Amino acid sequence: MSPPSKRFKPIQRIADDRERKAASALGESLKARHQAEQRLAELRAYHAEYLQRYGETTRNGASAAQIRDYHLFLDKLEQAIREQERVAHQAQQQCSASKDHWRERYNRSQAMSKVVDRLQDGERRA
């Protein structure tokens, strides 16, 4: 009959594999969160730039049609910002969930490694 540590090795490999997969998923969610936040920052910067141009245009005299067009575009831009804020918030929540999942898998993997190490120590002593 094989020693207990050898019987636990496949379980340890499974735990390690699950931890690696969770770490990979965490990396992907961090990347998605970063991209969502970056896109939101770009939209906000573009909004600020467009507001500045709107102010310059109105100071230099603008037609009613130009002002209306600016307002329509600003409304659409503000709507896009609100939507991107929602996307960024969801990405943050997903990132937190992925981090919790990885932490759980990491702890399980570490616990299994300690069990196997203890079994091996006991086998060496025996």
Side-chain angles (χ1 to χ4, degrees):
M1 186 167 170
S2 65
S5 66
K6 288 193 182 209
R7 291 193 305 260
F8 275 90
K9 278 288 190 183
I11 298 169
Q12 181 185 11
R13 280 194 294 275
I14 291 169
D16 290 347
D17 185 52
R18 288 179 177 170
E19 187 266 330
R20 277 191 295 279
K21 288 179 182 176
S24 177
L26 174 58
E28 290 298 318
S29 68
L30 286 167
K31 182 179 174 182
R33 182 188 72 182
H34 176 72
Q35 289 173 341
E37 290 172 350
Q38 188 174 24
R39 177 73 175 137
L40 180 58
E42 290 169 358
L43 285 170
R44 286 178 174 160
Y46 186 61
H47 183 264
E49 178 185 324
Y50 204 78
L51 275 176
Q52 182 181 358
R53 278 194 272 165
Y54 170 70
E56 291 170 4
T57 301
T58 56
R59 279 191 297 277
N60 295 332
S63 69
Q66 286 176 314
I67 291 173
R68 185 193 69 231
D69 290 343
Y70 267 102
H71 279 276
L72 288 172
F73 186 75
L74 283 169
D75 287 343
K76 288 181 182 181
L77 195 51
E78 288 164 1
Q79 182 180 359
I81 289 171
R82 284 190 300 274
E83 176 62 22
Q84 190 61 33
E85 285 172 338
R86 186 187 63 74
V87 168
H89 180 72
Q90 285 179 336
Q92 176 59 41
Q93 288 178 324
Q94 178 61 39
C95 191
S96 294
S98 290
K99 186 182 285 184
D100 291 343
H101 181 70
W102 168 78
R103 193 173 289 130
E104 175 189 333
R105 294 296 183 182
Y106 175 79
N107 289 337
R108 285 184 184 186
S109 176
Q110 293 301 304
M112 186 54 63
S113 292
K114 287 179 184 178
V115 167
V116 170
D117 289 345
R118 276 191 236 128
L119 288 171
Q120 287 174 337
D121 286 345
E123 291 165 4
R124 278 191 290 270
R125 283 189 213 121

